[in-house]
Amino acid sequence: LEVTPLTDLELILDRLKQAALWLQENKINYWQNWLDPETLYVQWIEEGIKDKQFFEVKYNQIWLAMFRLQWSDEMFWGKQDIPAGYLHSFTTNRQLRGQRIGSLILDWISDYCRQSGKEYLRLDCGTAITGLCKYYQDQGFELRGEITLYDDLLSLFQKKI
């Protein structure tokens, strides 16, 4: 796997838009804010680029995934004392669906976090997206709670790494 920093705002926004379109096509009401993002969301992406938190994953020049990894996340998780990595904006190449790409990349992210001194990998997921919530639980993540943020009910998951 080739994991490299991602600094192209337009590319990041396009990847998120493509994921939102796929969700829409599959009648899943999630990430629709990325179809035409408000300034607040674009600024959140710009902040992540500035802080070098966005990465893309390729293999033999084929794009596999994109994600944002933070070392703190008070907006979603509040102040936490236990060191953790916080995963956001995780999207994969839909043309490669069913090939365990997500699982492979989650393992890579877990290893990276562990090597960086973190004890957990944490993420959020739309509570109503039961299939995705189950996917994360199948990957070893445990439900730790729920929050409402920008009118979205989100499930908070963590995995000991």
Side-chain angles (χ1 to χ4, degrees), residues 88-102:
H88 287 285
S89 306
F90 184 39
T91 182
T92 59
N93 184 336
R94 292 287 164 199
Q95 295 175 331
L96 303 175
R97 189 167 184 223
Q99 297 184 35
R100 303 193 43 80
I101 302 287

Side-chain angles (χ1 to χ4, degrees), residues 1-60:
L1 292 180
E2 305 153 30
V3 181
T4 57
L6 187 55
T7 58
D8 184 332
L9 174 64
E10 293 307 315
L11 181 60
I12 292 168
L13 290 172
D14 185 61
R15 298 275 194 231
L16 292 169
K17 182 177 183 177
Q18 294 308 313
L21 286 169
W22 183 89
L23 290 164
Q24 186 180 65
E25 289 165 11
N26 287 275
K27 310 275 188 273
I28 300 170
N29 185 22
Y30 193 58
W31 275 20
Q32 298 307 290
N33 55 300
W34 295 115
L35 294 175
D36 185 20
E38 297 176 24
T39 302
L40 171 75
Y41 294 105
V42 175
Q43 289 172 338
W44 186 78
I45 299 295
E46 289 172 332
E47 186 180 292
I49 292 170
K50 181 178 66 73
D51 293 340
K52 298 176 176 39
Q53 296 172 339
F54 277 94
F55 299 88
E56 75 175 339
V57 184
K58 292 184 178 180
Y59 181 75
N60 288 338

